[in-house]
Amino acid sequence: MSSDTPLQLLGGLSATEFLRDIWQQRPLLIRGAFPDFECPLDPDELAGLACEDGVEARLVEEHGEDGPWQVRHGPFDEAVFGELPERDWTLLVQAVDHYVPEVAELLEAFTFLPRWRLDDIMISYAPPGGSVGPHMDQYDVFLLQGMGRRRWQLGGKVADEAPIIPGIDLRILERFEVTPGDDWVLEPGDMLYLPPGWAHHGVSQSDDCLTLSVGFRAPSADEAITSFADYLGEQLPASLRYADAGMAPPDDPSELDDAAVARMRRLILETLDDPARLAQWFGRAMTQPKYVDQLVPREQPTAPAELVAELQAGGELVRCRGSRFAWRALDGERATLFADGDGVTCALPLARALASDAALDAEALALPGAAELLAALLDAGSLSWADE
């Protein structure tokens, strides 16, 4: 589909129009974004997932036994859910797309955005009155109503330093005023897009209210600078140091003068301003898996010849649900394939094929270097056999 083709998902806007006029600028309510939507899992299945080891889950009670806005972290015992009140609580489960293939399939609707920007699909369940309080998030999110009805109220864009309620394990805003007109009840299939920093408050209006949150991540400046500096530190030679050849004798040997500061500044800026190294770091940073323990390396290395035989016999390799892939062209023939925080140089067509959603079967072997790279990704845990 062309980027200029109107999408029902975006309320009739084309992808180009949405990215130009809405994305990271203002909210957008989309009625019937997913017509006749059927939620890919039910509340009992979500609760069951929250009881499993390794799954990130939270239980938020507005009126908990230990005080207001009590937060408990999973995994939970099934008995917990039978002890909860009839209203005013919320269960949140992160990265449901990593565990439920039918949830992961929803991501196909969001291919108008870079795949490496995706964080995960969180799903929340709430009985009547369930909420996590008025708050803001520092990421883009599409809030898709999956089951029941939820009322969303918006309070406009708020400053990073907006006061929050102290002493609780949630970043609930102390003050929240609803913007006139930004007050809606969403039905199944309706969706609300929110850019970063927009205050919002969602409250369940009915039994069995499920909301799917498709979130997109962006590293903060402090995270990016720290991570890039660490990456550079591993790449730079020890001989690259502060130097002051040709300097004038100091008026005072104890003074840290402007010339010395300028030399240090020049060293740092020239070291940082390296587009090739920045791209290599960025690809690795944006493909870091959300949960590293989801990648299980193989105990025994895979021989490329064995992998070839398996593929030719009808086997198929799939990307592990927690894995992230991206690619960047180096020239007309070569590219860096980024996979789960690592990067490897390979043929450009191979990088594009591995980073796409296309099936990895015997046809992939026609690409130069495929057998060796597929074996390495299989051993790293980024790929697995479809029948495993």
Side-chain angles (χ1 to χ4, degrees), residues 351-363:
R352 296 190 64 168
L354 292 179
S356 74
D357 288 331
L360 298 172
D361 52 23
E363 291 186 7

Side-chain angles (χ1 to χ4, degrees), residues 296 298 317-320 323 325 340 354 360 373-375 377-385 388:
V296 183
R298 295 197 166 237
L317 288 166
V318 296
R319 297 154 192 85
C320 295
S323 288
F325 286 77
D340 297 321
L354 292 179
L360 298 172
L373 184 51
L374 288 172
L377 293 171
L378 180 64
D379 290 344
S382 298
L383 297 177
S384 65
W385 292 108
E388 288 184 343

Side-chain angles (χ1 to χ4, degrees), residues 295-320:
L295 304 180
V296 183
R298 295 197 166 237
E299 294 183 1
Q300 298 296 327
T302 302
E306 294 176 4
L307 180 138
V308 169
E310 184 74 21
L311 290 175
Q312 290 177 340
E316 185 174 282
L317 288 166
V318 296
R319 297 154 192 85
C320 295

Side-chain angles (χ1 to χ4, degrees), residues 47-326:
L49 198 57
C51 296
E52 294 185 13
D53 289 335
V55 175
E56 184 180 356
R58 291 171 291 163
L59 194 55
V60 178
E61 296 175 74
E62 187 170 352
H63 310 290
E65 293 182 1
D66 298 331
W69 299 114
Q70 177 180 325
V71 181
R72 286 186 273 175
H73 297 267
F76 300 106
D77 188 282
E78 291 183 9
V80 168
F81 298 106
E83 301 166 354
L84 291 167
E86 294 184 356
R87 57 175 297 123
D88 301 336
W89 57 270
T90 297
L91 171 67
L92 305 107
V93 182
Q94 296 288 155
V96 181
D97 53 304
H98 292 190
Y99 311 104
V100 182
E102 293 80 7
V103 173
E105 288 174 5
L106 292 173
L107 297 174
E108 295 175 8
F110 295 90
T111 55
F112 59 92
L113 292 163
R115 186 178 287 110
W116 47 264
R117 277 279 259 127
L118 174 71
D119 189 11
D120 70 350
I121 298 181
M122 181 188 77
I123 300 184
S124 64
Y125 166 80
S131 166
V132 295
H135 64 284
M136 68 163 177
D137 301 307
Q138 291 297 350
Y139 51 81
D140 300 272
V141 64
F142 293 87
L143 300 164
L144 170 62
Q145 192 60 26
M147 185 181 294
R149 301 161 65 245
R150 185 182 290 273
R151 181 184 185 185
W152 287 105
Q153 297 174 304
L154 308 187
K157 193 171 180 63
V158 298
D160 291 346
E161 62 273 12
I164 59 174
I165 298 176
I168 59 175
D169 192 17
L170 292 169
R171 295 184 59 80
I172 298 177
L173 296 169
E174 279 190 351
R175 293 187 297 275
F176 178 76
E177 296 184 8
V178 180
T179 305
D182 287 351
D183 188 335
W184 312 284
V185 174
L186 271 62
E187 307 275 353
D190 293 342
M191 188 167 69
L192 175 63
Y193 163 71
L194 293 176
W198 222 273
H200 54 287
H201 187 202
V203 182
S204 171
Q205 304 293 292
S206 60
D207 294 328
D208 291 344
C209 174
L210 283 174
T211 302
L212 296 83
S213 302
V214 184
F216 291 80
R217 61 179 180 165
S220 65
D222 64 320
E223 292 170 338
I225 291 171
T226 301
S227 176
F228 185 40
D230 288 343
Y231 175 76
L232 282 179
E234 298 172 357
Q235 307 293 319
L236 298 176
S239 58
L240 186 60
R241 292 174 177 269
Y242 173 85
D244 47 17
M247 69 173 178
D251 294 330
D252 183 337
S254 300
E255 181 187 7
L256 185 65
D257 60 17
D258 290 344
V261 172
R263 285 190 289 270
M264 191 70 244
R265 179 176 182 270
R266 186 164 54 252
L267 172 65
I268 291 174
L269 293 181
E270 289 177 354
T271 302
L272 292 176
D273 190 16
D274 186 327
R277 280 200 174 104
L278 180 67
Q280 290 295 313
W281 160 78
F282 193 37
R284 287 165 171 79
M286 294 307 290
T287 57
Q288 285 284 346
K290 187 176 182 72
Y291 304 111
V292 177
D293 57 0
Q294 285 187 334
L295 304 180
V296 183
R298 295 197 166 237
E299 294 183 1
Q300 298 296 327
T302 302
E306 294 176 4
L307 180 138
V308 169
E310 184 74 21
L311 290 175
Q312 290 177 340
E316 185 174 282
L317 288 166
V318 296
R319 297 154 192 85
C320 295
R321 292 197 185 106
S323 288
R324 303 179 191 272
F325 286 77

Side-chain angles (χ1 to χ4, degrees), residues 22-42:
I22 305 295
W23 178 252
Q24 296 207 320
Q25 299 170 62
R26 61 184 179 88
L28 179 67
L29 173 67
I30 308 151
R31 295 290 186 187
F34 288 79
D36 303 318
F37 183 70
E38 294 186 11
C39 197
L41 81 173
D42 61 35

